[in-house]
Amino acid sequence: MSRRSAAAVIRSAAVRYRFLSSSTYVLQPQSGAVGVTERGCTVLESGGAGHAFKLFNIGKRLSLGCNMSTAAYSEPPPVDAEKFEYQAEVSRLMDLIVNSLYSNKDVFLRELISNASDALDKLRFLSVTEPQLLKDSVDLDIRIQVDKDNGIITITDTGIGMTRQELVDCLGTIAQSGTAKFLKALKDSKDAGADSNLIGQFGVGFYSSFLVSERVEVSTKSPKSDKQYVWEGEANSSTYSIRVETDPSKLIPRGTRLTLYLKHDDKGFAHPERIQKLVKNYSQFVSFPIYTWQEKGYTKEVEVEDPVEGSKDDNDASTEKKKKTKKVVERYWDWELTNETQPIWLRSPKEVTTEDYNEFYKTTFNEYLEPLASSHFTTEGEVEFRSILYVPSMAPTGKDDIISGKTKNIRLYVKRVFISDDFDGELFPRYLSFIKGVVDSNDLPLNVSREILQESRIV
């Protein structure tokens, strides 16, 4: 189209143009027409004709196009996407953790003892460079006391304790693991020790207490703080409270005391014998001594008076009383060491006698006969573990024991804490299912509840 023709078309649209150069044109709209310049072209919108004209400058030639649109041609500017954080209903999340994560209520004590052991481990590591942390209490132990009449379990450790902020960070934030942070700090430190048995890496072990408790109270005192704080929380609640301990009778020099107020259906856990059994099953080989409050008794002889007819003499006609004794049992309560702090498999085979191996076999597997043979060995490589295996002196006699590959003859420990003995032939082939023993490793991958081995090439 020539310049003359283009000018005629523009005049017919009730606009005029001004020629600037041989390669640039500017449209000046009139009568409500709007001109928009974009990407080297001029777009003309007529106010009343309902046509939009595009005038393109291509070299020294002009072309005019027509679009049936009343809107000016333009691309919308890019809009930044908004970012959101996942929201969780805390009460629902707690319900999932308590009722879906753990399949066995018995493990609540294992989790809480493991947390107490971690607190003692942290104190032991930190006291190497800060000896003043041990000044309030030198003993490093765990003590468990029960009140079976009221359904209360109390677990006390003399570990590092927590400050108010640590209570908020560790117990007020689900899946926030203070142990994981401590392990990372140890790893980053130059003087980090390799022999660390900290196990609470997932940050959910504490909430297993709500498996059996309707209310939990945590009273803790850190040597870095001059006050003792109390954390309180209830099952099926999304809130918790923190206050300063003001009762002088409840003050502790250092550490943490957990008080579990059991649910009505779970008050059977508040029995000394049951607590002792759980400790021996799951936490028998924890590094620190575990004391349980047990009822004890001793036999003593007491005098009883038994009046009998005696000989009468002239001066004294009274009845003589002959003294007798009888045996009675005197009852009292005291602390009793429940666990063995040194597992036999961690000792050097040169230091363990045959009698020690046999006694461990009988105690662990409830056998009365001595084993036919035993093997104590250690493996190193991609995965490290220690193990003691036994060949029983008698072959299994039951049909189920011979045919079924599901046995409980191999007990798996991770960092000396019992995990499981139900593997359905995963660790041993069926034809070796009669073998009994223990396996302990620090490298096996476990799920969050520490009940199941994850699928891994290491396993």
Side-chain angles (χ1 to χ4, degrees):
M1 181 182 295
S2 65
R3 295 182 182 178
R4 187 180 299 275
S5 300
V9 173
I10 294 173
R11 289 192 193 96
S12 65
V15 299
R16 62 184 176 85
Y17 70 92
R18 179 165 52 89
F19 179 76
L20 298 180
S21 67
S22 61
S23 60
T24 305
Y25 294 87
V26 177
L27 300 183
Q28 295 178 341
Q30 291 180 352
S31 302
V34 179
V36 181
T37 302
E38 181 177 355
R39 294 187 181 180
C41 70
T42 302
V43 180
L44 174 65
E45 181 182 355
S46 174
H51 298 277
F53 297 90
K54 291 184 180 179
L55 181 62
F56 299 92
N57 175 11
I58 307 174
K60 294 184 179 180
R61 295 177 60 88
L62 293 175
S63 63
L64 186 64
C66 178
N67 293 329
M68 298 301 296
S69 174
T70 58
Y73 176 79
S74 64
E75 292 184 0
V79 179
D80 293 336
E82 295 184 69
K83 291 185 178 180
F84 299 89
E85 291 186 358
Y86 291 107
Q87 302 298 319
E89 186 180 345
V90 178
S91 58
R92 177 61 177 159
L93 184 58
M94 287 288 292
D95 181 70
L96 288 174
I97 291 176
V98 172
N99 299 313
S100 301
L101 190 60
Y102 299 97
S103 60
N104 184 6
K105 287 186 176 183
D106 290 354
V107 301
F108 85 93
L109 191 61
R110 179 197 70 182
E111 297 293 309
L112 299 180
I113 290 178
S114 297
N115 288 346
S117 176
D118 285 354
L120 292 166
D121 260 329
K122 293 176 190 177
L123 178 64
R124 184 174 60 182
F125 292 147
L126 295 175
S127 64
V128 175
T129 55
E130 302 177 67
Q132 68 274 11
L133 296 178
L134 292 173
K135 64 180 181 179
D136 295 326
S137 178
V138 180
D139 296 333
L140 302 179
D141 55 29
I142 303 170
R143 297 178 182 267
I144 306 175
Q145 189 173 5
V146 299
D147 181 355
K148 59 182 179 180
D149 295 330
N150 298 314
I152 300 174
I153 300 177
T154 304
I155 304 172
T156 307
D157 67 75
T158 56
I160 191 63
M162 288 178 282
T163 63
R164 185 184 183 280
Q165 186 59 43
E166 288 171 340
L167 273 177
V168 175
D169 293 340
C170 297
L171 302 189
T173 307
I174 297 175
Q176 173 72 24
S177 174
T179 297
K181 285 185 177 180
F182 187 75
L183 285 174
K184 185 178 184 301
L186 282 179
K187 187 177 180 180
D188 297 339
S189 176
K190 294 181 180 179
D191 55 352
D195 186 20
S196 173
N197 290 311
L198 300 176
I199 190 173
Q201 58 180 318
F202 297 110
V204 295
F206 165 75
Y207 305 103
S208 65
S209 57
F210 290 106
L211 283 169
V212 297
S213 308
E214 61 183 8
R215 182 165 66 94
V216 178
E217 181 181 291
V218 182
S219 183
T220 182
K221 171 68 169 63
S222 171
K224 301 178 182 179
S225 174
D226 57 349
K227 294 181 180 180
Q228 181 174 328
Y229 294 95
V230 180
W231 181 99
E232 290 188 47
E234 296 183 358
N236 303 321
S237 175
S238 59
T239 61
Y240 62 91
S241 64
I242 297 178
R243 58 179 173 84
V244 178
E245 182 61 80
T246 56
D247 189 349
S249 63
K250 295 182 179 180
L251 295 178
I252 54 179
R254 185 196 64 234
T256 303
R257 180 175 60 235
L258 272 71
T259 305
L260 311 181
Y261 297 89
L262 302 180
K263 301 175 183 176
H264 179 74
D265 296 337
D266 297 313
K267 289 188 176 182
F269 284 101
H271 200 280
E273 285 76 12
R274 188 166 186 180
I275 291 296
Q276 190 177 53
K277 181 180 179 181
L278 292 177
V279 171
K280 289 185 175 181
N281 186 42
Y282 289 102
S283 306
Q284 176 78 358
F285 304 106
V286 169
S287 304
F288 301 94
I290 302 175
Y291 295 92
T292 56
W293 190 247
Q294 298 291 332
E295 185 180 15
K296 299 182 179 181
Y298 65 93
T299 304
K300 67 176 184 179
E301 291 187 353
V302 296
E303 294 182 353
V304 294
E305 294 183 355
D306 184 18
V308 294
E309 289 290 334
S311 58
K312 295 181 180 180
D313 30 339
D314 298 332
N315 300 327
D316 188 7
S318 62
T319 304
E320 294 184 359
K321 295 182 179 179
K322 185 179 181 181
K323 293 183 178 180
K324 289 187 177 182
T325 61
K326 69 175 182 178
K327 294 181 179 180
V328 296
V329 178
E330 190 77 14
R331 295 288 180 181
Y332 68 99
W333 290 84
D334 197 5
W335 294 108
E336 180 179 323
L337 181 63
T338 306
N339 67 322
E340 299 176 12
T341 57
Q342 181 63 28
I344 188 175
W345 60 79
L346 294 183
R347 296 162 57 185
S348 172
K350 297 179 181 179
E351 301 175 356
V352 185
T353 64
T354 304
E355 289 74 15
D356 293 334
Y357 285 125
N358 294 344
E359 184 63 29
F360 177 76
Y361 171 76
K362 292 179 181 179
T363 304
T364 304
F365 299 101
N366 296 322
E367 295 283 349
Y368 63 94
L369 296 176
E370 295 181 353
L372 187 64
S374 64
S375 176
H376 184 182
F377 60 93
T378 302
T379 65
E380 296 180 356
E382 184 176 4
V383 58
E384 298 181 4
F385 66 89
R386 298 172 180 267
S387 178
I388 301 179
L389 301 180
Y390 294 94
V391 178
S393 56
M394 290 184 60
T397 56
K399 179 180 178 182
D400 294 338
D401 295 335
I402 298 174
I403 298 177
S404 175
K406 195 169 186 177
T407 63
K408 295 182 179 294
N409 291 338
I410 302 297
R411 294 175 60 86
L412 176 65
Y413 292 80
V414 172
K415 298 179 181 179
R416 295 190 280 190
V417 176
F418 175 66
I419 301 301
S420 178
D421 57 1
D422 186 5
F423 296 104
D424 197 11
E426 294 177 5
L427 297 183
F428 268 79
R430 180 171 297 184
Y431 62 86
L432 289 177
S433 59
F434 62 90
I435 296 291
K436 298 183 178 183
V438 297
V439 178
D440 184 19
S441 174
N442 295 349
D443 304 322
L444 291 180
L446 301 172
N447 68 346
V448 178
S449 64
R450 299 204 286 263
E451 292 179 322
I452 305 171
L453 278 173
Q454 293 181 355
E455 294 295 331
S456 171
R457 184 169 55 89
I458 294 178
V459 179

